Amino acid sequence: MIRVLLADDQSLVRAGFKALLDAQPDIEVAGEAADGEEALRKVRELRPDVVLMDIRMPTLDGLATTRRITDEEALQGVKVVMLTTFELDEYVFEAIRSGASGFLVKDTEPEELLRAVRAVVEGDALLSPGVTRRLIAEFAARSKEPAAEDALGELTEREREVMALVGIGLSNEEIARRLVVSPLTAKTHVSRTMVKLGARDRAQLVVLAYESGLVRPGWLG
């Protein structure tokens, strides 16, 4: 059973998400929070698998709350999906850097929300349809000067290749076609790379790909 915490200051939004999620045989809403401080307390208490976190909340906003969650070693298993009103929200970039596994617009289709919850539990990054490359392009434009690639020393050449493809926004299926391997093999390479680098999920792997210099601005295609 996938346990979800809903963090949003609008009770109507929480009620709608709760009704949808609780209707699924493999998902349950473990708790709700109306602000960031309450969300942090409940994450520590309930240890949910996924937090659906509104970016803008009173007391402590979603970004600060996400940073606190991802900074606590005891909460490393908790995945955060940020909720926003607009796909090009100015805070989406910072949400990914803060440790969020992805983001969704609040008016997303019900099927997409359910897929999101299941995907992040499996370690996949989740971004609203159509914005993956735009987000990565934004990251590329803002990313700092790449550090030395020594941090990638444990990776094999194939794992570096796979990480670079993740960094430019390719899915496992697209990576499989590019490298002429099976999707399962591509997924295995991605998983091993995350383990070696201590990446929480695919979104953090994208961040590391840019910060290590493995992928540089202008490589999108």
Side-chain angles (χ1 to χ4, degrees), residues 174-194:
E174 291 169 328
I175 292 172
R177 288 196 294 271
R178 181 77 66 92
L179 300 180
V180 196
V181 298
S182 71
L184 179 59
T185 297
K187 183 177 182 179
T188 299
H189 283 309
V190 172
S191 297
R192 287 177 178 169
T193 302
M194 290 194 299

Side-chain angles (χ1 to χ4, degrees), residues 20 30 32 38 44 50 60 66 95 100 118 121 124 127 140 144 154 159 170 173 177 186 215:
L20 174 64
E32 300 180 38
E38 184 181 13
R44 289 167 174 161
V50 180
L60 191 67
T66 298
R118 295 177 177 122
V121 169
D124 292 334
L127 305 172
K144 61 187 180 184
E154 292 188 25
E159 287 165 350
L170 299 192
E173 290 74 17
R177 288 196 294 271
V215 177

Side-chain angles (χ1 to χ4, degrees), residues 133-161:
R133 282 179 171 77
R134 290 208 301 273
L135 179 64
I136 292 174
E138 180 73 2
F139 188 96
R142 298 193 191 189
S143 62
K144 61 187 180 184
E145 185 67 22
E149 288 192 34
D150 293 347
L152 308 182
E154 292 188 25
L155 302 185
T156 65
E157 285 303 314
R158 176 45 62 95
E159 287 165 350
R160 284 171 176 250
E161 189 176 10

Side-chain angles (χ1 to χ4, degrees), residues 10 17 27 33 58 77 107 135 158 172 177 194 201 207:
Q10 298 181 36
F17 284 168
I27 302 174
D107 64 352
L135 179 64
R158 176 45 62 95
N172 287 344
R177 288 196 294 271
M194 290 194 299
D201 50 39
V207 174

Side-chain angles (χ1 to χ4, degrees), residues 195-207:
V195 169
K196 287 185 178 181
L197 297 177
R200 289 169 57 90
D201 50 39
R202 199 183 188 97
Q204 192 172 14
L205 202 59
V206 172
V207 174

